[in-house]
Amino acid sequence: MNLAIRDIRHNWARFVLTSIGIGLLLMIVMGMGGIYQGLVDDAVLLINKIDADLWIVQHETRGPFAEISKVPLNLEDRLRSVPGVQSSRSFVSHTIQREHNGKPIRIVVQGLSWPDDKGEWLPLISGRNLGSAHYEMVADKLLGLNLGERIKLGKDYYTVVGVTSGMVSQSGDGLGFFSVRDALNIQFEVSGESVRLERQARKSRVLSQDIGNIQPALVERAQSVSSELPGLARPMVSAVLVKLKSGADIETAVSIISGWKDVTVYTADQQKEFLLKGTVDRARRQLGLFSALLVVISAIIMALIIYTLTLDKIHDIAMLKLIGARNSVILGLILQQSLLLGAIGYILAYYLGTILFPKFPRRVLVTSEGMLYLAIIVLMISIISSALGVWKAMKIQPNEVLS
Amino acid sequence: MTGDVKAIEVVKLSKIYGSGNTEIIAMNDVTFSLEKGEVTGLLGPSGAGKSTLLTAIGLINPPSSGTILINGQTVMTGSVAHVNLRAFRRKHMGYVFQKANLIPFLTAVENVQLACEINDIPAKEARKKAAELLGYLGVADRMKNLPHMLSGGQQQRVAVARALANNPNLILADEPTAALDSVRGRQVMELFAKIAHEQGASVLVVTHDHRSLDVFDRILEMEDGILTERTH
Ligand SMILES: Nc1ncnc2c1ncn2[C@@H]1O[C@H](COP(=O)(O)OP(=O)(O)OP(=O)(O)O)[C@@H](O)[C@H]1O
Ligand SMILES: [Mg+2]
């Protein structure tokens, strides 16, 4: 005869309320784990989605996610000449905070190497990828921009032609995809006045030197459009990404590019490593510790609940001992209730979580692996927390029936 | 062959509660024995030590000194147990107290069935036996009720049924009729006599109820921890 079930059936209201409490607690544990998982996943999401084999960054730097990295645009062409390289494209990424419809909006501006990369790999939920070299963007739904909406960034208006889902940066901001040119324009956008001032400054610099006085044409040249000046550097990009031909040897490509003194090459895995060990490391450890603390607290709370459930049954347990019930009967009563409480709490946590977590501002990623871990944790909590109750039950003397 | 083996034999049993100024000798060199198939009444004023004796024999309250033999087997000397007490209680003893002490979340029949199952009777058989016992005690119609839905007398009869679940050699009852009216009380007492005579168990009943003394085969009296036999 199963005593645990019969006791619950008798005191079902209390058991339901307790289960709800445990369920809410476990939901928080699950959420904490989900936030942790979301943080880690968001951090490496872009690297995974972009799916490049190699990341070529400024010499001696750790890449665009860890610090500022600048490489020339033409590195793209140099890399195409390396044996085994299938394609290479620029990576431009910077965060801007502008105003749109009177509200602040944070966009991680992400450059796509038009026309090689039109964003075919983006997880679109509506619209299309980039269809022209300029003035189009694909926005993540987190940015709150609608399909067809126009947003002014700098001097120009950009039209949202596609909307993605789940494309966020390591800090949880939504990504916006533009052509590399547009992305650079948005970043290096300067006002007309500063352009005029810069030209004036160039003119006076040239005039302050002998050659400027001898060659009036040079003065005129110095005042013209920046891109027409051979002496000025072209805009830089953050990194260049390389995809190798299938079957090409990654080691060979790495050793060739490593020979170049102006850049450093990393594999995608190394890039991810830098992110997890560097940029998000503290946040990750903080969340990890907090989750662990929550698990311990849940175990303590559940232990106290099981303990009070046991206290309520002292008289009955004494009676069971009096009529000679074996310890396994008493242990079963306590442990089964504890496990049932854990199981119901777990299921409740799962359902509440699937309703609540998607409404959170940052991603709470509950994977099936995470759910498995949680199940194991709940199982352990249930067993460990019943220890206090079992200990109490074992101490009960049969003559307590008479008190 | 086992005819002369006593159901219970107690030699120089004493119990001292507390120590120094607060020392109470609740049981003083009690020696007696009970036969199988016999129902014995234990009388005495409040505080005489009746419950102390009953719980000592019942192996739930160890004596300070003395020996307890059950079915010829030495079970305890002083507070030292010679057998696994819980297993011994399971196999040989049945208890009824002033309060029925039924498990509140089990129905009448489940309370009895549980006692059967604790004695290793398979669930189905245990259920059958429990139903039979409740029938024997006249509460078959309240089988499926939880204890709080039963009257005091019905609860007590379920408790008696539970005490019989393991076919005990020894049934110990401490004021089992105190909470019952005289008619119900009388019925329970007659039940004990019936069980002793029909099943060969030895029954020891503590009671204050002098109207049912005729039920007993033998009457023991206790005062200030000292046991005497009343002769008819
Ligand atoms: N746990 C205990 N600690 C200390 N003294 C106790 C304890 N239990 C009983 N006593 C004392 O031992 C004596 C005998 O008690 P006992 O309960 O055996 O009496 P009783 O004959 O059953 O009385 P009643 O008829 O009132 O039930 C009493 O003086 C009582 O106060
Ligand atoms: Mg008493």
Side-chain angles (χ1 to χ4, degrees):
Chain A
M1 184 181 338
N2 189 307
L3 294 178
I5 300 283
R6 284 177 170 78
D7 180 33
I8 290 167
R9 214 169 47 193
H10 189 236
N11 286 309
W12 65 270
R14 185 180 63 181
F15 190 80
V16 166
L17 290 177
T18 311
S19 303
I20 290 174
I22 297 280
L24 292 173
L25 194 65
L26 289 179
M27 184 193 73
I28 302 293
V29 173
M30 189 171 107
M32 222 49 216
I35 291 172
Y36 175 95
Q37 211 51 60
L39 182 91
V40 170
D41 203 69
D42 283 354
V44 296
L45 174 108
L46 197 60
I47 302 179
N48 281 334
K49 281 274 165 25
I50 284 177
D51 191 29
D53 294 316
L54 298 175
W55 288 66
I56 293 88
V57 304
Q58 183 180 336
H59 187 58
E60 297 272 273
T61 72
R62 293 284 158 116
F65 301 106
E67 54 186 313
I68 288 176
S69 158
K70 278 184 186 303
V71 293
L73 249 176
N74 65 12
L75 179 63
E76 237 184 278
D77 305 318
R78 272 164 67 197
L79 283 164
R80 287 200 186 95
S81 67
V82 174
V85 169
Q86 186 183 47
S87 66
S88 83
R89 55 199 154 116
S90 307
F91 178 84
V92 175
S93 179
H94 53 269
T95 306
I96 57 171
Q97 179 163 338
R98 304 285 163 87
E99 213 168 77
H100 179 58
N101 294 339
K103 275 194 226 130
I105 180 169
R106 276 177 75 82
I107 307 176
V108 179
V109 175
Q110 205 65 45
L112 299 176
S113 278
W114 177 274
D116 299 333
D117 181 1
K118 301 187 179 88
E120 294 89 343
W121 50 275
L122 294 174
L124 290 172
I125 52 170
S126 65
R128 55 171 172 84
N129 48 23
L130 296 189
S132 99
H134 287 294
Y135 311 126
E136 287 192 351
M137 76 177 282
V138 174
D140 189 74
K141 71 164 191 270
L142 197 67
L143 294 172
L145 298 172
N146 297 318
L147 204 60
E149 195 169 338
R150 280 155 56 83
I151 178 167
K152 186 166 187 267
L153 300 169
K155 282 201 297 284
D156 303 310
Y157 281 92
Y158 296 86
T159 308
V160 177
V161 297
V163 176
T164 60
S165 162
M167 295 300 285
V168 296
S169 74
Q170 47 176 300
S171 51
D173 296 314
L175 299 184
F177 297 87
F178 305 80
S179 69
V180 165
R181 293 286 169 190
D182 284 355
L184 290 172
N185 278 341
I186 294 166
Q187 184 179 17
F188 299 116
E189 174 63 45
V190 285
S191 67
E193 180 62 9
S194 19
V195 170
R196 275 190 293 281
L197 287 172
E198 167 62 17
R199 285 180 187 169
Q200 201 55 49
R202 285 204 296 259
K203 179 183 168 189
S204 42
R205 279 204 298 274
V206 173
L207 281 173
S208 69
Q209 294 177 0
D210 288 345
I211 191 160
N213 291 318
I214 302 162
Q215 285 285 357
L218 205 57
V219 178
E220 209 159 290
R221 200 62 198 276
Q223 290 183 78
S224 68
V225 184
S226 311
S227 59
E228 288 170 7
L229 299 183
L232 285 185
R234 307 300 299 276
M236 309 279 260
V237 294
S238 305
V240 175
L241 315 180
V242 159
K243 182 92 191 145
L244 296 174
K245 290 182 184 127
S246 62
D249 182 32
I250 193 159
E251 301 293 334
T252 320
V254 166
S255 74
I256 292 171
I257 302 168
S258 301
W260 301 354
K261 294 283 184 265
D262 62 332
V263 293
T264 301
V265 58
Y266 296 114
T267 62
D269 284 340
Q270 282 172 316
Q271 270 301 307
K272 283 186 229 172
E273 191 77 3
F274 290 147
L275 263 172
L276 297 181
K277 288 269 158 69
T279 327
V280 299
D281 184 53
R282 269 172 210 283
R284 198 170 67 99
R285 284 199 335 243
Q286 177 118 338
L287 281 174
L289 273 174
F290 206 78
S291 309
L293 204 64
L294 258 177
V295 169
V296 172
I297 289 170
S298 312
I300 291 171
I301 290 179
M302 212 158 134
L304 292 177
I305 289 172
I306 301 293
Y307 183 68
T308 45
L309 285 180
T310 309
L311 287 187
D312 285 348
K313 285 195 281 285
I314 282 184
H315 195 78
D316 305 326
I317 292 170
M319 190 65 216
L320 286 171
K321 287 189 169 185
L322 179 76
I323 62 175
R326 292 178 180 84
N327 281 341
S328 59
V329 173
I330 296 156
L331 191 97
L333 171 65
I334 296 168
L335 194 61
Q336 283 168 18
Q337 289 196 348
S338 181
L339 288 172
L340 209 66
L341 214 54
I344 294 175
Y346 177 82
I347 293 166
L348 212 66
Y350 177 76
Y351 280 104
L352 285 175
T354 41
I355 295 167
L356 274 180
F357 294 156
K359 298 190 167 58
F360 275 50
R362 273 203 75 163
R363 206 140 66 97
V364 181
L365 182 64
V366 181
T367 57
S368 49
E369 199 187 25
M371 285 308 289
L372 183 70
Y373 278 136
L374 186 68
I376 294 169
I377 288 170
V378 171
L379 185 71
M380 303 235 287
I381 289 180
S382 302
I383 293 170
I384 293 168
S385 65
S386 60
L388 193 62
V390 168
W391 169 80
K392 176 72 197 172
M394 291 302 131
K395 276 201 347 187
I396 294 171
Q397 293 296 318
N399 58 12
E400 283 174 58
V401 169
L402 305 170
S403 57
Chain B
M1 203 176 90
T2 54
D4 54 347
V5 174
K6 308 271 192 239
I8 188 148
E9 225 177 319
V10 162
V11 184
K12 287 184 164 266
L13 212 58
S14 295
K15 176 79 184 185
I16 300 169
Y17 288 114
S19 60
N21 287 348
T22 59
E23 190 177 281
I24 294 166
I25 303 174
M27 198 162 57
N28 196 352
D29 268 353
V30 170
T31 301
F32 77 103
S33 58
L34 296 178
E35 302 290 337
K36 290 177 180 169
E38 201 179 58
V39 55
T40 307
L42 178 56
L43 305 180
S46 180
K50 305 182 296 294
S51 296
T52 304
L53 174 61
L54 205 80
T55 51
I57 304 172
L59 309 179
I60 55 176
N61 183 18
S64 307
S65 64
T67 310
I68 302 171
L69 291 95
I70 296 176
N71 277 331
Q73 187 181 359
T74 306
V75 175
M76 288 197 95
T77 17
S79 57
V80 181
H82 298 294
V83 293
N84 179 337
L85 294 182
R86 209 188 295 183
F88 204 87
R89 290 198 299 268
R90 176 166 65 233
K91 289 196 199 100
H92 301 288
M93 319 281 242
Y95 303 86
V96 184
F97 300 106
Q98 184 173 339
K99 283 198 299 174
N101 291 311
L102 299 175
I103 309 266
F105 52 83
L106 299 181
T107 62
V109 69
E110 282 170 347
N111 261 286
V112 183
Q113 185 189 340
L114 176 67
C116 295
E117 283 184 23
I118 282 173
N119 248 281
D120 301 322
I121 299 174
K124 243 182 157 168
E125 224 174 287
R127 178 80 175 195
K128 212 174 124 226
K129 181 167 184 187
E132 276 168 19
L133 280 169
L134 290 177
Y136 183 61
L137 287 152
V139 276
D141 54 329
R142 310 309 304 268
M143 226 163 70
K144 299 244 166 74
N145 288 111
L146 288 170
H148 72 89
M149 296 189 257
L150 301 178
S151 74
Q154 286 166 336
Q155 285 184 27
Q156 200 59 291
R157 277 184 279 167
V158 176
V160 174
R162 179 177 62 187
L164 299 179
N166 56 344
N167 299 324
N169 317 108
L170 184 59
I171 295 170
L172 303 169
D174 197 348
E175 301 183 35
T177 60
L180 306 181
D181 62 57
S182 56
V183 179
R184 295 278 176 216
R186 173 98 199 161
Q187 279 177 357
V188 170
M189 287 301 187
E190 280 171 356
L191 205 72
F192 283 132
K194 183 174 159 190
I195 292 159
H197 300 149
E198 286 180 5
Q199 311 200 347
S202 183
V203 183
L204 180 62
V205 185
V206 172
T207 185
H208 286 294
D209 186 358
H210 288 260
R211 282 167 302 183
S212 39
L213 294 186
D214 58 296
V215 174
F216 300 123
D217 299 318
R218 228 179 122 194
I219 292 171
L220 299 172
E221 278 180 309
M222 205 170 184
E223 190 151 5
D224 291 335
I226 294 169
L227 190 80
T228 49
E229 174 123 22
R230 178 193 283 193
T231 39
H232 289 280

